[in-house]
Amino acid sequence: MDIGILTTRNHRYHPNRRFIEAALRMGHRPLLIDPWKCQLVVGHNGGTMMYRGKGFPHLDVVLPRIGATIEDYEMAVVKQLELMAIPLVNGFDSIAKSRDKFSCLQILASYGIRVPRSIVVTDCRNLVKLMWDLNGPPVIVKLLRGRQGTGVTLAESLQAVEFVLNNLSGFGDAALLQEFVEESRGRDVRALVVGGEVKASMVRQSRGEDFRSNIHLKGVGAGIDLSEEYRDVAVKSAKALGLDIAGVDMLESRDGPMVLEVNYSPGFRELEKVARMDIAESILNYAVNMVKGEQS
Ligand SMILES: Nc1ncnc2c1ncn2[C@@H]1O[C@H](COP(=O)(O)OP(=O)(O)O)[C@@H](O)[C@H]1O
Ligand SMILES: [Mg+2]
């Protein structure tokens, strides 16, 4: 099959490299597609797309792999692929729901999935009341579309919250204030859901004092035998957002799993090491079988 990876990165980027290796080994033809080299065309015949000024290559399936920072133009490319009836893993709607942390939490909460209490703010008004409501300070302050831990901070005082919010201009006009789940400081659980099943999981532990456990901030992963309860929550979260592939981040709160966020194009370098499995192959297998299922 012709398998497209929609990405702004090159073949050396870990997930891309792994997808290419796995696809070739499985006898498929992988192709990295740069959304910024796609030209969207609409006319009275509907929509199509050119690639680098030429006809769009034949693709049996596409994996959008742009991450939480996916821009509106890149979303339009995803939409166009969908309108061209190319099967997507994951599709436009599910990406639109999960790319922004608050929209993700909104949907999860509406499905009865436990999430940390969170408030969207656009300025510093009523902060004293909001702190009270979030049982802080300390509270967590987040950018709506941060990734790899870079847009998340722990504010220890009201002044710190104010300082962070006042310095967020240029990062979009809203931020998320969130209850700090102290008991899971520096630790979270990542579950990879593929096609409604948890395929691999790990617990991530920060090194040193950082309250964030992101691998990109030198956190380390370790194997974990995920309980039924955590598996269930991960699968339900992916389903609520309509995601075929999902990296579900959960905190181990006193009262059980709490979903922090769901990533629609999760990285898997650490998880492949920890789980000792070929995650690229597992994702591609799902994509290929999905297409075969649709064709038959
Ligand atoms: N409400 C919270 N309570 C405790 N720790 C948190 C909370 N929110 C985030 N963290 C820590 O910060 C890390 C990054 O937060 P997350 O929301 O997953 O953002 P990112 O998209 O940058 O990974 C999490 O993996 C977790 O370790
Ligand atoms: Mg995260």
Side-chain angles (χ1 to χ4, degrees), residues 101 142 147-149 178-179 181 188 213-214 260-261:
K101 285 195 203 307
K142 288 187 193 185
R147 59 201 268 268
Q148 301 175 349
Q178 191 167 74
E179 116 189 54
V181 183
D188 75 350
S213 47
N214 298 70
L260 260 192
E261 61 161 349

Side-chain angles (χ1 to χ4, degrees), residues 275-287:
R276 299 222 183 95
M277 66 177 280
D278 191 331
I279 286 175
E281 183 177 306
S282 160
I283 291 175
L284 290 182
N285 258 328
Y286 172 78

Side-chain angles (χ1 to χ4, degrees), residues 4-8 31-42 48-57 59 62 66 72-82 84 86 88:
I5 311 288
L6 190 69
T7 174
T8 53
L31 184 63
L32 299 185
I33 300 282
D34 179 349
W36 295 94
K37 294 188 175 134
C38 294
Q39 286 101 29
L40 312 183
V41 186
V42 286
T48 179
M49 194 140 61
M50 290 193 284
Y51 194 55
R52 298 166 183 264
K54 297 190 192 129
F56 199 72
L59 293 171
V62 171
I66 299 173
D72 291 349
Y73 178 73
E74 296 164 330
M75 285 302 285
V77 172
V78 174
K79 187 72 191 176
Q80 195 83 349
L81 291 166
E82 208 162 88
M84 289 158 71
I86 300 175
L88 297 179

Side-chain angles (χ1 to χ4, degrees), residues 42-272:
V42 286
H44 58 273
N45 296 331
T48 179
M49 194 140 61
M50 290 193 284
Y51 194 55
R52 298 166 183 264
K54 297 190 192 129
F56 199 72
H58 173 265
L59 293 171
D60 293 291
V61 62
V62 171
L63 283 71
R65 293 281 316 179
I66 299 173
T69 54
I70 188 165
E71 294 181 24
D72 291 349
Y73 178 73
E74 296 164 330
M75 285 302 285
V77 172
V78 174
K79 187 72 191 176
Q80 195 83 349
L81 291 166
E82 208 162 88
L83 292 173
M84 289 158 71
I86 300 175
L88 297 179
V89 178
N90 295 301
F92 179 87
D93 287 343
S94 63
I95 297 174
K97 285 175 184 159
S98 56
R99 71 165 165 161
D100 157 326
K101 285 195 203 307
F102 190 71
S103 125
C104 177
L105 294 177
Q106 259 179 333
I107 291 164
L108 295 178
S110 77
Y111 276 78
I113 295 164
R114 289 186 59 243
V115 300
R117 190 163 178 85
S118 308
I119 305 176
V120 175
V121 291
T122 51
D123 53 44
C124 289
R125 266 181 281 187
N126 307 318
L127 276 189
V128 175
K129 274 221 180 80
L130 301 189
M131 288 300 110
W132 189 255
D133 194 57
L134 294 173
N135 213 6
V139 295
I140 299 274
V141 189
K142 288 187 193 185
L143 301 180
L144 296 185
R145 297 194 27 217
R147 59 201 268 268
Q148 301 175 349
T150 52
V152 182
T153 191
L154 178 63
E156 306 268 6
S157 65
L158 187 65
Q159 286 83 350
V161 176
E162 254 168 343
F163 179 79
V164 174
L165 291 180
N166 283 327
N167 285 284
L168 280 185
S169 58
F171 289 98
D173 49 9
L176 201 66
L177 297 183
Q178 191 167 74
E179 116 189 54
F180 177 44
V181 183
E182 170 90 54
E183 63 268 27
S184 94
R185 175 192 277 266
R187 182 182 155 99
D188 75 350
V189 171
R190 160 59 65 91
L192 177 76
V193 178
V194 181
E197 251 179 77
V198 175
K199 288 283 183 197
S201 56
M202 64 179 169
V203 53
R204 295 180 298 197
Q205 182 76 50
S206 82
R207 263 194 286 211
E209 288 295 291
D210 205 315
F211 73 96
R212 299 163 299 180
S213 47
N214 298 70
I215 299 301
H216 283 86
L217 300 173
K218 299 207 165 59
V220 276
I224 183 176
D225 194 11
L226 217 53
S227 71
E228 210 45 47
E229 189 185 17
Y230 278 76
R231 280 173 189 274
D232 245 30
V233 167
V235 168
K236 270 194 194 131
S237 302
K239 211 166 175 187
L241 295 159
L243 292 167
D244 303 305
I245 310 288
V248 184
D249 290 351
M250 291 173 280
L251 295 178
E252 296 157 296
S253 87
R254 230 175 265 121
D255 308 315
M258 239 188 200
V259 180
L260 260 192
E261 61 161 349
V262 183
N263 299 280
Y264 80 88
S265 73
F268 46 85
R269 187 200 285 265
E270 186 77 358
L271 196 53
E272 281 200 323

